[in-house]
Amino acid sequence: MERPYGSYAEVLLKQRYRPGGVIGRGGMSTVYRARDEFLGRDVALKLFGAIPAGTDSAPVFSAELRMLAGLNHHGIVTLLDAGIDDSLPDEPHPYLIMELVTGTDLEKAIAAGGFSARGIAEIGYDLAEALEYVHSRGVVHRDLKPSNVLLVDYGANTLRTRARLTDFGIAFDAAAALGPEETNTTGTAAYLSPEQVLRDLVGPASDVYALGLVLLECFTRHVEYPGDPSASAVSRLKTDPSVPDTLTSAWRSLLTAMLRRDPAARPPMRDVLLALRQIIVDDSGRHRSRPEPIRIDEPTRMAAVRRYEPYVEAGHPAFERVANIARRIADVPVASIGIAHEDEVRFLAHPGTDIDRLPRDETLCSGVIADDEPWVVENCALDPRSSENTLVTGEFGMRFYVGVPVRSPEGFVVGVLSVIDFTPRTMSDEQLASLVDLASVLTDELELQVAIHPAEADPETLPEPSAGAEPIADSATPVLRFPQAV
């Protein structure tokens, strides 16, 4: 049972923390404003219900509280201390001492007005970053909801409002220690994951689902599964959340993935973080702030492609060797060297797959050519550049893609060196730089194939460099630049 508030006026927890007024109440705890008498500062004291007499749960609580107090991340409200109040020996109360944060919570902010898509992405990014850290420490929040998210305004025009996570799922462990089976379904009913409702194993994927519901609510401004706790909890087992068609494809793909009923089908929090980062980058206009790539008209680019056509042969050992080196550099199962024709991409080498050509609009190569720069897609199912591509949504199941332009000496993108994996992942800057170098080796190999057929070359088919393009100064001697291309 909860101790009467008046009895705490004389309590000094750990001979240091003096409780003051109540600032919040939850299902299993009460939050007090308290005074740290030793450091002379205000803190937040979260006091849980008493451990029932006769149970041997104090050691369990002590271990859990020490673990939670060890969390240290800018995206979570700092846990400063933890312990068990045993001032009444028959009614020990676990408690947390937390940083006292001033600011409104997300629930109130949603009720007060809507957010921009960019603002929602920033809130989601802050929370995903914090949750990824928490999961890496072996902790699952289990009770993520808008009221557990504090929005902190630092009062500087150059700093945006930050979302900080609070109210960790110690209540779940407390309920488990109390014993009755019915208490094991913990958390707020409207934000429970399906596995929590079914009392299955709860892990990081449950937090992914809850974060999906929170972000969805930021857009719709209504609780997706309202009603009394029982009806709310069961409804998600019958109907999937409704993601508005008005959202961008990036948001629809991300929320749909996060809100899948099967926890194994949801993306890990790391992928959610990367997807939200990409949404923020796209919205920020950074791509528009870069210099526009030199626009090369398609007929001129195709003239550069046709120059190589008589001399390049699919399956040539040199191309197979380069593609396999790319696989080893990226540590992936599939690599390809594609030459981009008008309506299809023909692969000179494709170790790891039997696909030897594809319609150009069904590949990601066309995007690499249009942007005239490497593409790194860490999770194809969540990245708006790839989420609706048939290689991602279909049986092939591509989940990671990197494409590097292969240019002619005049600067025309004639093809793409690609590496592919079937699980989301990242690529280091060193790996990407190696692939860019390897694409230059491909240029030299293509030039070498033309150079060893001088009598067949037709100078009139050579394209003129486009305005502003910088030709490669030593393109006439590829063997000297890259002897390994021989």
Side-chain angles (χ1 to χ4, degrees):
M1 72 183 227
E2 182 182 344
R3 289 181 60 163
Y5 165 67
S7 66
Y8 268 104
E10 304 303 324
V11 171
L12 192 63
L13 298 176
K14 279 192 172 181
Q15 303 301 307
R16 176 174 180 174
Y17 304 109
R18 189 175 301 282
V22 175
I23 58 177
R25 293 183 185 274
M28 299 187 67
S29 63
T30 301
V31 181
Y32 298 86
R33 188 183 192 98
R35 185 70 176 174
D36 181 345
E37 300 285 3
F38 182 73
L39 293 179
R41 63 177 178 180
D42 289 337
V43 294
L45 162 65
K46 183 172 184 178
L47 190 75
F48 294 94
I51 302 172
T55 62
D56 190 21
S57 302
V60 176
F61 280 124
S62 296
E64 289 290 338
L65 292 172
R66 282 195 298 269
M67 176 181 65
L68 288 171
L71 297 178
N72 183 20
H73 189 274
H74 60 267
I76 63 177
V77 175
T78 305
L79 278 73
L80 304 173
D81 202 350
I84 296 179
D85 169 29
D86 56 2
S87 55
L88 292 180
D90 293 337
E91 296 184 10
H93 290 255
Y95 67 85
L96 302 177
I97 300 296
M98 301 178 295
E99 170 190 9
L100 184 63
V101 177
T102 57
T104 189
D105 63 54
L106 184 57
E107 182 179 44
K108 294 184 179 71
I110 292 173
F115 294 93
S116 67
R118 166 69 178 268
I120 296 171
E122 289 174 343
I123 290 170
Y125 182 88
D126 290 344
L127 297 177
E129 187 181 42
L131 288 167
E132 184 195 23
Y133 164 78
V134 168
H135 294 167
S136 73
R137 301 296 298 269
V139 179
V140 180
H141 192 286
R142 303 182 181 100
D143 193 24
L144 179 61
K145 56 186 177 181
S147 62
N148 285 344
V149 176
L150 297 179
L151 302 179
V152 184
D153 186 348
Y154 292 98
N157 293 333
T158 57
L159 297 176
R160 65 173 176 85
T161 297
R162 299 282 176 171
R164 301 186 66 185
L165 191 58
T166 187
D167 203 3
F168 277 78
I170 187 68
F172 176 94
D173 302 302
L178 296 183
E181 182 181 357
E182 61 270 14
T183 64
N184 289 336
T185 302
T186 359
T188 304
Y191 303 94
L192 292 176
S193 64
E195 58 270 25
Q196 284 176 292
V197 175
L198 295 171
R199 298 178 186 171
D200 286 341
L201 182 66
V202 173
S206 293
D207 285 346
V208 171
Y209 187 91
L211 179 58
L213 287 178
V214 169
L215 296 177
L216 180 61
E217 187 173 332
C218 288
F219 280 108
T220 64
R221 296 185 62 193
H222 65 75
V223 178
E224 184 65 18
Y225 295 112
D228 66 79
S230 295
S232 173
V234 172
S235 58
R236 76 210 58 218
L237 303 179
K238 299 177 180 179
T239 59
D240 291 322
S242 177
V243 178
D245 293 335
T246 55
L247 300 185
T248 65
S249 61
W251 270 114
R252 290 198 307 273
S253 298
L254 175 59
L255 292 176
T256 299
M258 294 175 71
L259 294 170
R260 291 187 178 122
R261 295 190 205 181
D262 181 3
R266 296 174 207 145
M269 196 62 75
R270 173 65 178 171
D271 292 345
V272 173
L273 180 67
L274 293 174
L276 288 166
R277 182 182 68 182
Q278 186 63 48
I279 290 173
I280 294 170
V281 168
D282 290 344
D283 186 81
S284 70
R286 293 180 189 174
H287 293 294
R288 293 189 294 276
S289 67
R290 293 198 303 251
E292 285 290 324
I294 298 169
R295 296 299 178 185
I296 301 174
D297 63 280
E298 186 64 7
T300 307
R301 191 194 69 82
M302 277 307 305
V305 172
R306 283 192 291 271
R307 175 171 173 262
Y308 295 123
E309 269 188 328
Y311 319 117
V312 296
E313 176 186 355
H316 189 286
F319 299 133
E320 292 289 342
R321 184 165 59 250
V322 170
N324 277 299
I325 291 173
R327 282 207 302 176
R328 291 196 293 273
I329 289 172
D331 191 22
V332 296
V334 178
S336 67
I337 300 170
I339 299 297
H341 293 260
E342 293 99 330
D343 55 358
E344 69 176 1
V345 176
R346 302 173 193 171
F347 298 110
L348 302 180
H350 46 91
T353 177
D354 294 332
I355 299 173
D356 60 1
R357 63 183 61 204
L358 281 170
R360 185 167 156 182
D361 59 1
E362 292 183 13
T363 71
L364 298 187
C365 295
S366 56
V368 176
I369 294 170
D371 282 0
D372 196 22
E373 64 178 14
W375 270 25
V376 178
V377 184
E378 296 178 330
N379 189 327
C380 293
L382 300 182
D383 195 299
R385 296 173 293 178
S386 58
S387 59
E388 297 181 0
N389 186 275
T390 55
L391 293 175
V392 178
T393 60
E395 184 178 354
F396 189 69
M398 181 170 68
R399 289 296 179 269
F400 171 79
Y401 174 83
V402 175
V404 177
V406 177
R407 296 182 175 86
S408 71
E410 299 79 24
F412 301 106
V413 180
V414 296
V416 178
L417 171 64
S418 303
V419 294
I420 293 169
D421 205 342
F422 302 107
T423 57
R425 46 170 299 171
T426 59
M427 170 166 283
S428 70
D429 292 340
E430 291 77 11
Q431 287 174 308
L432 182 58
S434 295
L435 290 179
V436 171
D437 288 342
L438 203 55
S440 296
V441 173
L442 277 172
T443 298
D444 292 331
E445 182 60 43
L446 292 170
E447 287 298 303
L448 180 61
Q449 295 300 317
V450 174
I452 62 179
H453 298 85
E456 303 174 34
D458 181 3
E460 294 184 0
T461 65
L462 300 181
E464 292 293 331
S466 61
E470 297 182 4
I472 300 174
D474 57 348
S475 60
T477 56
V479 178
L480 296 180
R481 286 199 300 129
F482 291 103
Q484 66 267 39
V486 178

